[in-house]
Amino acid sequence: MSSNRQAAAASPWRAPILFAVLALLFVLEGTVRNGMFSGSWNTSLAILNMGLISAITALGVNMQWGYAGLFNAGVVGFLALGGLAPVLVSLPPVEGAWAAGGPRLILALLVGLGTLALAKIAYTRTGRAWTVALVLLAGFVAYRWLFDPAVTAIEANNSARAGNIGGLGLPILLSWIVGGAFAAAAAWAVGKVALGLRSDYLAIATLGIGEIIVAVLRNENWLARGVMNVTSIPRPVPYEIDLQQNPAFVDFAASWGFDAAEASGIWVKLCYMSLFLVVLLAIILLAELALKSPWGRMMRAIRDNETAAEAMGKDVTARHLQIFILGSAVIGVAGAMMITLDGLMAPNSYNPLRYTFLIWVMVVVGGSGNNWGAVLGAVLIWFLWIKAEVWGPNLIGALVGPLPDGDVKSHLLNSAAHMRFIAMGLVLLLVLRFAPRGLVPER
Amino acid sequence: MDILNALVAFLNFVFIPAAAYGAQLALGALGVTLIYGILRFSNFAHGDTMAFGTAITILTTWGLQSLGISLGVLPTALLALPVGIAATALLVLGTDRVVYRFYRAQKAAPIIFVMASVGVMFIMNGLTRLIIGVDDQRFDDGARFIINVRDFREWTGLAEGLALRSTQVLTLVVTAIVCGALFWFLNRTKKGKAMRAYSDNEDLALLSGIDPERVVRMTWIIAAALITIAGVLYGLDKSFRPFNYFQLLLPIFAAAIVGGLGSPLGAIAGGFLVAFSEVAVTYPWVKVAGYLAPGWQPDGLLQLLGTEYKFAVSFVILIVVLLFRPTGLFRGKSV
Amino acid sequence: MSDLDAAFGHRGNRDASLVNMHGRGVIDGTRPSGPTGPGHAGDPFLIGEGMTGGYGKGADILHDCTIAVERGQIAVIVGPNGAGKSTAMKAIFGMLNLRKGSVRLNGRDITALNPQDRVKAGMGFVPQVNNIFPSMTVEENLEMGAFIRSDDIRRTMEQVYDLFPAVAAKRRQAAGELSGGQRQQVAVGRALMTQPSVLMLDEPTAGVSPIVMDELFDRIIAIARGGLPVLMVEQNAKQAMMIADKAYVLVQGANAHTGTGHELMQNDEVRRTFLGG
């Protein structure tokens, strides 16, 4: 028992000190050049920016897990769905795509949704399985009859460079909100089904919906060009090339002792960082306020003693659905931000290990139920994840240095990059064992 | 109407592949359901453990092949399988000793085990990458077909051919033997009954003199054997790629839940149900329809969903079964 | 509450696709037994003497409580709700940290043994709830009761079936599908399968109908008359005292009254406070 005891009341300095250590890591990465750090501010800020997006994702997961104890095993799906928003909202419209099959496509999707709604009504009204099956079958045939030609037409439209339905050309920042809405809508559908059966089946349902969303993005070329990827997604910040051609900026960079190319990269990343920080802090603020409100107190009461809350007439399932949707919306926002940062939508990159389970490591390491913990865990784990790719081979290189050259040595050197998976597993297991409440425990 | 040809097409493209796939899922789901029933958590490391066991078997197979040892018409992997099972069993027993036992002694909530299994999943994933990499590997040898398409056409004179691959038959035979042995063990032997008793009521099992640690060890060994066999059969039948094994987690869990978590019989039924639905929904029925209604020329492939969406099928089956039978087809523990 | 529980609390417990809350145990099976010592001269067959202690590191529930059973007798523990009746029995069975006092069985001091080893030392314990293996058949339940035996168990099984003909007829049926009274019979039968030297029953009649209760009491008397001492916690004080050779009335974890069942039934104070007049 004594081995896993944590100080019951964590020191109030614990979180600030940990954040200071984290900041130091990023400063070292930006200034010191050796076997461990790159000494490049561009690298340091790039890691930080992605770390901040991970932090927002972790906040979303922490709302679901920390506040309500819901296990979302499909984070990758909600991230990907959020990432669809910049493509559909902010990309310029594709010429001819809408004319080729836009209205028919929308109609098909409406018929599809209508069929599901009708099936639900049929089930509640008649309760007969075969009526429902008939409705579904008829709806499905109608849907495919509308859908397939529309898709063929859209995908044939300028298929080499577009072939997708295109965007609305609206500001990219708007798409972040839309991304949240997309994810929230999917969460509503999943939660409605998987919460509140005799027991919940949320973990498996989210695991499934995550796979499905990624499969849709990968295969529906009309939507986001599938594996052909969408590039040049608009940016909310200046382009490096414009900055480098701006004499005022070049002078400004020179006054700080940077050359224009490096400074433009840093400047763009700082702009992103500011945007992300604003979103992050706004979400934390709202989350903390919500948690201190009567609604938040009720959420915690439900989490700590579900039976008592149910006996007091609280609708536990409805509350869980609410928090699941809210958390997923936050994840969706993070997904849209990620695509904005990358400027690229590449469905093949959505790997559940990286985008679901690594997020879970972040939340648990940071401290389940603590928003600042989630942020700390996210940025720290992301830093380690990126750096482990460098440190692993260096470490292995140093270890196998004395070995004679040969198959074993080259195999070890080649696979050293995979060490980071083992490292992440070890970090999670060590935290679970020795500090199960995380680095910044819940108060 | 050409019922015979339609039937052959159906057997060839739907029934036989689905049966083999179903058997593989069933073995995987049995492992999940045993761990859920006895250790009381869903093991997220299941897919990666399966990949690890298969990787060891593949390496051993290559070793045997380089020594010139083979099993003739049967794949050499069968000879290497015991090595893979033993290595996997040692690995999971080691994991249990280092990771899970601590929490068991604390009577920790099952969710902690789930979290720990995520950590174990990362480590197993990394281990598999270290020992075999991330690429596709094929390791089947021996006779490829028991019946091949051309011979079948010559024998029967039918237009439609039927191929029966040896890996498919092997999968079904091995699964039948393994399931038979498992059920005999669980229902007829004292040790197997002790496992069921522990799953039913931990405290009472303890008070009846059943040693929990022995039950747990036995469960890990059986689960390791089941998933290694499942993984090797899947790899022989299709191909081995670690990421695909990770993705099998969804249909395997779906099968276990559809059947009723904690129910071995349910796991088998669930495996076949998921596999048959997956194959039937993603198969283009145009060929079969062509034989049944020769005059009819449908303009599509009569494919309900593209094969890319096969995971959606597991998901839908899962949801439908849970809506109508919240405890699964065979009443599991998840009440 | 340990740090581990504090870490995750009740999170995730609702999700059946993650965790299996069914049949979880609370007894720490890893606690090792200490050595046994000699009993005292003139001890009853089973005695828990001067027991003081509580659950885990919590406050004391029992205060210098003594319970004893003689060979071939029935002893009952009665008392108001929350008096520590079940706790006293669990203390005798080793599920409690005793700070003072000792438990001695058949001339041996077994205070340091863990529950599993007390079963091997001859205690047959029937918990109040969760006392069967619900998905296993009646026969398998009995087999599991005899898990620690390596000799032929068929004779004992026939004896149990003779004692409980109602469940004998359902030996191939899952125990969880039986009625409440029959489940209790299976539970008692399971404990008898170890061939214990003392049978300990924690509220065997909780939640069963009066007719079933009478029948159960008949069976328990038959067991005791067969030579097996029985220690029983009962909430139905009146019926319990009627069949008891010795009765212990506990109040707030301490002995309040002790005597034969008949004596206590005559005691005005006991009648007034517990037996309703």
Side-chain angles (χ1 to χ4, degrees), chain A residues 82-383:
Chain A
L84 184 59
V87 176
L88 292 184
V89 172
S90 307
L91 228 55
V94 169
E95 218 167 293
W98 183 253
R104 186 167 180 149
L105 188 75
I106 299 288
L107 188 64
L109 295 178
L110 287 178
V111 166
L113 289 177
T115 305
L116 290 179
L118 207 64
K120 169 97 173 71
I121 293 170
Y123 181 67
T124 40
R125 289 277 169 80
T126 68
R128 277 193 296 259
W130 64 267
T131 322
V132 179
L134 208 67
V135 169
L136 284 176
L137 190 69
F140 186 75
V141 169
Y143 162 77
R144 287 293 292 264
W145 179 77
L146 285 164
F147 184 77
D148 289 356
V151 165
T152 312
I154 293 172
E155 288 178 358
N157 172 46
N158 192 4
S159 61
R161 314 197 56 206
N164 61 331
I165 184 80
L168 299 171
L170 295 171
I172 185 84
L173 290 182
L174 181 71
S175 76
W176 294 6
I177 297 168
V178 177
F182 281 0
W188 176 79
V190 178
K192 201 76 188 147
V193 178
L195 292 170
L197 294 165
R198 183 114 57 103
S199 17
D200 292 350
Y201 285 91
L202 196 67
I204 183 72
T206 45
L207 190 71
I209 203 75
E211 295 271 8
I212 292 173
I213 291 173
V214 174
V216 167
L217 282 185
R218 212 175 275 158
N219 297 299
E220 297 301 313
N221 291 349
W222 60 269
L223 197 59
R225 302 196 70 219
V227 290
M228 292 181 293
N229 300 349
V230 174
T231 51
S232 61
I233 290 166
R235 270 187 179 186
V237 298
Y239 285 85
E240 285 86 348
I241 196 81
D242 296 336
L243 287 173
Q244 287 161 24
Q245 284 160 0
N246 179 346
F249 180 80
V250 174
D251 290 346
F252 171 75
S255 72
W256 282 80
F258 287 106
D259 68 73
E262 193 186 354
S264 63
I266 294 175
W267 181 258
V268 168
K269 291 187 180 77
L270 282 175
C271 291
Y272 270 125
M273 187 188 80
S274 320
L275 271 174
F276 294 167
L277 273 177
V278 168
V279 176
L280 178 70
L281 292 175
I283 291 177
I284 290 195
L285 183 70
L286 289 175
E288 289 286 318
L289 284 179
L291 203 59
K292 291 196 174 68
S293 71
W295 180 83
R297 280 199 296 277
M298 182 174 63
M299 289 312 303
R300 276 184 294 181
I302 288 177
R303 191 197 66 203
D304 293 340
N305 195 340
E306 210 166 81
T307 328
E310 216 147 28
M312 275 153 52
K314 308 289 182 206
D315 186 346
V316 174
T317 302
R319 298 302 133 203
H320 279 178
L321 185 60
Q322 269 177 0
I323 197 91
F324 181 61
I325 293 173
L326 281 177
S328 298
V330 172
I331 299 172
V333 170
M337 291 165 67
M338 193 169 79
I339 294 302
T340 312
L341 176 67
D342 290 346
L344 164 78
M345 172 65 163
N348 266 346
S349 68
Y350 286 108
N351 179 332
L353 214 55
R354 152 73 185 88
Y355 289 105
T356 297
F357 294 105
L358 194 65
I359 302 288
W360 271 101
V361 177
M362 294 169 177
V363 172
V364 174
V365 167
S368 309
N370 187 315
N371 287 325
W372 291 107
V375 173
L376 179 83
V379 181
L380 178 67
I381 290 292
W382 180 249
F383 185 82

Side-chain angles (χ1 to χ4, degrees), chain B residues 36-37 40-42 44 102-103 105-112 114-115 187 190 193-194 196-197 199-210 257 261 333-334, chain C residues 4 8 11-12 16-30 93 115-116 119 125 127 130-136 140 143-144 146-149 190:
Chain B
Y36 182 88
R40 304 198 147 72
F41 71 99
S42 291
F44 275 94
F102 172 78
Y103 302 109
Q106 311 260 319
K107 292 274 151 202
I111 188 70
I112 305 232
V114 178
M115 289 294 174
N187 294 321
K190 201 172 169 182
K193 286 179 189 174
R196 285 167 52 218
S199 161
D200 247 15
N201 190 336
E202 222 172 287
D203 280 349
L204 199 61
L206 187 76
L207 299 185
S208 303
I210 295 167
I257 294 176
L261 268 167
K333 311 271 177 205
S334 45
Chain C
L4 270 174
F8 291 137
R11 291 191 185 106
S17 60
L18 275 183
V19 294
N20 175 8
M21 305 304 283
H22 170 102
R24 271 184 78 204
V26 292
I27 307 176
D28 175 13
T30 59
F93 193 59
Q116 305 95 291
V119 172
F125 179 62
N130 299 329
N131 49 20
I132 53 163
F133 300 111
S135 81
M136 302 178 85
E140 285 172 333
E143 278 174 45
M144 286 300 106
F147 189 81
I148 52 175
R149 289 176 54 187
R190 187 205 62 84

Side-chain angles (χ1 to χ4, degrees), chain B residues 254-320:
Chain B
I257 294 176
V258 161
L261 268 167
S263 154
L265 203 59
I268 295 174
F272 283 104
L273 178 65
V274 167
F276 272 91
S277 324
E278 215 172 82
V279 175
V281 169
T282 54
Y283 172 66
W285 288 93
V286 63
K287 197 169 202 173
V288 176
Y291 287 120
L292 287 178
W296 185 43
Q297 284 293 320
D299 31 319
L301 290 169
L302 295 183
Q303 185 184 18
L304 287 171
L305 270 180
T307 41
E308 314 82 46
Y309 293 123
K310 58 180 187 203
F311 291 121
V313 182
S314 336
F315 180 74
V316 171
I317 296 282
L318 182 80
I319 297 297
V320 170

